[in-house]
Amino acid sequence: MAELVSHPDEIRVVAKRFGKGATNIDRYLGLDGYKAVQKALAMQPDAIVNEVKNSGLRGRGGAGFNTGLKWSFVPKTSAKPKYILCNGDESEPGTCKDRLIFEHDPHAVIEGVMIAGLAVGAQSGYIYIRGEYRYLLEIMQKAIADAYAKGFLGKNIFGSGRDFEIYWHGGAGAYEVGEESALMESLEGKRGIPRIRPPFPAVVGLWGGPTVINNAETLASVPHIILGGAEWFANLGTPKNGGTRLFCLSGHLNKPGVYELPMGYNLKKMLYDVGGGIPNGRKLKAVVPGGSSCPLLTADEIDLAMDFDTLMKAGSMLGSGGLVVVDDSTCMVKFALRIMKFYRHESCGWCIPCREGTDWLEKTLSRFHSGGGIKKDIDNIQYLSENMLGRTFCPLGDAAALPTISIVKKFRKEFEDHLEGKPCPFEKAGAVERLPVFA
Amino acid sequence: MRFSDQFEARFTEMLTHYPTKRSVLVPTLLYAQDDAGFLSDEVIAEIASRLDLTELDVRNVISYYSMLTCKPRGKFNVQVCTNIACLLRGGEELLEHCEKKLGVGHKGTTADGLFSLEEVECIGACSWAPAVQVNYDFHENLTPEKMDGVLDEYRKRARQ
Ligand SMILES: Cc1cc2nc3c(=O)[nH]c(=O)nc-3n(C[C@H](O)[C@H](O)[C@H](O)COP(=O)(O)O)c2cc1C
Ligand code: SF4
Ligand code: FES
């Protein structure tokens, strides 16, 4: 059970029911539960899509695509059944928010899946939860069973004459399976190797049927939009970036935790005010702004609004909302190495630039960090990474390259300090000193 | 080959979830592993035959997923995250501590069969780092001292 935190600047929409016992379906009903889906049942499908489109809700899984727009790509009629697939694979390093949603408000996800289904004309949905989250899968299994027992799922939901089925599904450990097409492969009982696009999942997805894939937080936001209205939701954030977001603060902070803040909240304030600043009298060195796939920001680049467009302009990404804060005692070569080790481990091996690139980069960074690096390596690391960009089958290759390029560019001096037999200047900081200090 | 009643109930339910039989494969493998301890040749053959797949098909899928294993493991699998958020808060030191305490390395098992150790990637506990999962249970905001307490708890549990 993960600890909850709070801050006065929080605006709780998705986290509204956290800590309120809403896993219990009767409690959930008492907290406006299943009202949104009943409202949606009385709406035209296009009206639901438009409401979500106008709310400015953008995918919380990483890419930040407008959710309503994504739904509008699903063909009106289809010979094959349509599906909603909730992505609860949450494996991007730095990200731990879907976990809280499943733990505290599983029915909101169910309701979101149902509303998405009504909007695109799907009659079934799947909720895929990563294998490590077994306790959450169990919470979800019970939530689904309770919804069936009340008649909210199954035949003739809420007396509307319409049917809707929701099924749970568990993974077995794989980051790459979070990629939408690999997710479908995994759900179909295969290795998580991405599919070629086009056709896009909205047209040809699960078992060949049109499929909407959305992140758990995205779907959990939908019922609030239906009840509160597009305008209300849009106004919580910045233009084209509606609503709030669960920001996962981790790393060198006094008050790490998951906080729900409006889109566009100032990053500096998020770190120093909400996150309580950097412990042990240290200074900020870098921030991973949205999960390990995003280019890092340096300490003097953090006075900006946390929304998709601002981060893009700043040369990074808002990603999955996982902020990892790095203080000045940290070796950036080591940090880059750990990120690369992850991507090498998770590469599905399907395409050469990613499979070979991550392996070579890990080896080079590892040698470099241990003092065996040569000057040419620095440019080679950058060159190799840049040549992975856009040349891989799925975005995992980019995800490995982007943070690496940013670290080489922004912390080149640290690489130079490691050259040829020099011991890592940061290792002396020692294990004990780097252990956490809790405020 | 006999699985638990719980496994059979879940397996039967899962078959009704999907238009193809094969779709149950990934969660089924994990549940089978929880039941049998690991995915033995016998388990693989059984699942392949139930789903009209070849054993090779099943092995191909097993080798992709990091939680699935064809080798026996300790009763308690101690999975230490050393990914970035944990790294910054002592994840590597925690792993080293566990290595010393248990006397085994990555993917090793103690002689008494009680513990296995594994260095794992992000387990979704970044805000509560450093974090460890023992089987499916999360242990968060750890220090080496707290880790000792966690291991002792499992030792006690094994004696009961
Ligand atoms: C390598 C990789 C891993 C991903 N992992 C996840 C994940 O764990 N959860 C998630 O929601 N999206 C993940 N995504 C993004 C999905 O492909 C997809 O864009 C997303 O689920 C769509 O939902 P959204 O529009 O609501 O964000 C990943 C993408 C890539 C390339
Ligand atoms: S980029 Fe990497 S993860 Fe994606 S398909 Fe290629 S090898 Fe697989
Ligand atoms: S980095 Fe360790 S749990 Fe996420």
Side-chain angles (χ1 to χ4, degrees):
Chain A
M1 302 282 134
E3 272 167 59
L4 295 176
V5 284
S6 65
H7 186 273
D9 284 359
E10 275 192 291
I11 295 180
R12 294 204 165 193
V13 178
V14 174
K16 195 168 100 177
R17 303 189 189 94
F18 287 9
K20 299 210 169 134
T23 47
N24 177 307
I25 195 164
D26 293 315
R27 285 284 300 150
Y28 182 74
L29 286 169
L31 296 165
D32 294 337
Y34 290 103
K35 279 192 188 147
V37 66
Q38 292 184 65
K39 187 170 169 190
L41 275 165
M43 291 165 76
Q44 288 301 316
D46 282 346
I48 305 175
V49 172
N50 282 332
E51 193 74 0
V52 174
K53 214 192 267 179
N54 296 336
S55 76
L57 173 66
R58 292 169 67 167
R60 304 306 195 223
F65 198 80
N66 180 291
T67 305
L69 194 59
K70 187 188 258 187
W71 294 1
S72 73
F73 297 151
V74 175
K76 291 265 175 300
T77 56
S78 162
K80 293 201 168 160
K82 303 178 194 177
Y83 300 100
I84 308 299
L85 173 51
C86 168
N87 190 345
D89 191 56
E90 183 160 81
S91 313
E92 170 93 356
T95 318
C96 48
K97 62 184 178 69
D98 297 341
R99 185 174 158 196
L100 293 181
I101 298 172
F102 290 130
E103 184 172 322
H104 293 275
D105 207 5
H107 288 286
V109 179
I110 294 177
E111 229 187 318
V113 171
M114 294 173 81
I115 295 167
L118 293 173
V120 304
Q123 290 188 348
S124 31
Y126 290 87
I127 299 177
Y128 186 118
I129 299 182
R130 71 179 290 190
E132 290 85 346
Y133 286 176
R134 173 60 63 82
Y135 80 104
L136 300 174
L137 185 63
E138 283 166 4
I139 290 173
M140 187 52 80
Q141 284 163 340
K142 178 165 189 308
I144 293 173
D146 290 348
Y148 271 105
K150 292 257 190 213
F152 299 167
L153 286 170
K155 299 265 173 261
N156 188 21
I157 51 171
F158 299 100
S160 63
R162 283 192 261 180
D163 309 336
F164 202 85
E165 310 287 341
I166 289 188
Y167 308 104
W168 51 267
H169 189 93
Y175 165 70
E176 171 60 0
V177 153
E179 193 278 336
E180 54 176 22
S181 66
L183 186 70
M184 297 191 291
E185 288 290 296
S186 179
L187 190 74
E188 292 182 12
K190 301 176 218 157
R191 291 169 75 91
I193 289 173
R195 296 179 184 173
I196 198 155
R197 278 148 288 179
F200 289 95
V203 184
V204 181
L206 277 172
W207 305 290
T211 303
V212 166
I213 300 157
N214 276 129
N215 170 258
E217 184 186 353
T218 311
L219 289 165
S221 308
V222 167
H224 300 289
I225 294 168
I226 297 300
L227 282 185
E231 201 182 319
W232 159 77
F233 192 82
N235 286 338
L236 293 174
T238 53
K240 296 206 183 90
N241 290 263
T244 54
R245 210 177 168 173
L246 295 175
F247 290 101
C248 322
L249 304 189
S250 71
H252 294 138
L253 281 177
N254 280 314
K255 291 188 213 155
V258 179
Y259 299 89
E260 182 165 13
L261 296 162
M263 280 291 214
Y265 195 86
N266 182 277
L267 174 56
K268 195 167 184 178
K269 216 171 157 216
M270 200 183 292
L271 303 187
Y272 288 98
D273 192 358
V274 180
I278 320 284
N280 302 329
R282 302 246 187 226
K283 287 203 179 64
L284 178 68
K285 184 186 271 186
V287 190
V288 176
S292 65
S293 310
C294 305
L296 278 71
L297 300 171
T298 60
D300 48 16
E301 293 174 321
I302 60 163
D303 196 5
L304 41 79
M306 288 292 275
D307 64 39
F308 287 102
D309 303 315
T310 311
L311 266 282
M312 192 67 95
K313 254 186 247 146
S316 189
M317 300 184 299
L318 193 62
S320 59
L323 289 98
V324 186
V325 178
V326 181
D327 77 11
D328 59 357
S329 73
T330 313
C331 171
M332 296 312 288
V333 177
K334 170 91 178 252
F335 198 73
L337 167 60
R338 188 61 188 85
I339 291 179
M340 194 51 69
K341 182 179 172 195
F342 169 70
Y343 289 108
R344 192 266 301 147
H345 183 260
E346 302 300 328
S347 167
C348 81
W350 191 244
C351 56
I352 296 165
C354 170
R355 183 184 64 220
E356 299 302 311
T358 52
D359 192 45
W360 274 103
L361 284 165
E362 187 198 352
K363 283 179 180 146
T364 312
L365 285 163
S366 172
R367 186 182 62 188
F368 209 96
H369 183 247
S370 60
I374 51 173
K375 192 141 195 255
K376 211 170 66 182
D377 286 341
I378 308 177
D379 288 330
N380 268 346
I381 292 167
Q382 195 173 335
Y383 176 80
L384 250 172
S385 309
E386 279 171 357
N387 278 286
M388 283 164 69
L389 285 183
R391 292 195 172 86
T392 56
F393 204 77
C394 89
L396 190 141
D398 294 343
L402 286 168
T404 314
I405 296 170
S406 77
I407 294 174
V408 177
K409 278 198 181 149
K410 295 180 181 177
F411 301 97
R412 194 175 177 98
K413 171 135 192 342
E414 291 198 17
F415 283 80
E416 286 163 357
D417 290 346
H418 279 75
L419 275 175
E420 291 182 56
K422 288 188 204 158
C424 170
F426 294 91
E427 283 299 86
K428 279 193 300 303
V432 183
E433 243 196 289
R434 280 209 305 272
L435 282 175
V437 174
F438 297 108
Chain B
M1 180 79 235
R2 264 196 69 85
F3 291 112
S4 65
D5 295 343
Q6 203 191 14
F7 173 92
E8 294 300 352
R10 238 189 243 115
F11 181 74
T12 311
E13 186 205 321
M14 271 193 286
L15 283 175
T16 67
H17 285 185
Y18 316 91
T20 65
K21 248 188 186 179
R22 176 174 189 147
S23 303
V24 307
L25 184 58
V26 175
T28 296
L29 284 168
L30 194 55
Y31 282 125
Q33 176 172 299
D34 292 340
D35 239 36
F38 69 106
L39 298 168
S40 62
D41 293 350
E42 200 190 356
V43 170
I44 292 168
E46 172 72 19
I47 289 175
S49 95
R50 286 193 192 191
L51 300 180
D52 303 327
L53 296 170
T54 65
E55 287 180 34
L56 185 66
D57 281 333
V58 175
R59 282 181 198 279
N60 238 324
V61 168
I62 292 172
S63 68
Y64 180 87
Y65 293 91
S66 64
M67 293 173 76
L68 302 177
T69 174
C70 298
K71 292 202 191 91
R73 275 201 300 230
K75 189 173 161 73
F76 303 114
N77 190 28
V78 180
Q79 302 150 83
V80 184
C81 173
T82 58
N83 210 313
I84 50 174
C86 291
L87 175 83
L88 298 176
R89 295 181 83 96
E92 287 197 337
E93 291 75 13
L94 202 60
L95 178 66
E96 267 168 45
H97 182 78
C98 290
E99 284 172 348
K100 263 189 228 136
K101 274 276 149 166
L102 299 173
V104 296
H106 175 58
K107 295 211 172 173
T109 301
T110 56
D112 60 4
L114 210 51
F115 292 104
S116 289
L117 184 62
E118 208 178 328
E119 178 180 10
V120 292
E121 299 299 349
C122 178
I123 49 177
C126 322
S127 289
W128 311 282
V132 165
Q133 244 190 320
V134 181
N135 296 347
Y136 292 107
D137 295 335
F138 282 88
H139 300 277
E140 297 163 335
N141 293 321
L142 290 169
T143 59
E145 297 72 50
K146 283 198 214 164
M147 190 69 223
D148 288 344
V150 169
L151 293 176
D152 283 341
E153 275 302 306
Y154 285 98
R155 274 196 199 97
K156 245 183 251 158
R157 206 185 287 182
R159 279 197 295 271
Q160 275 159 15

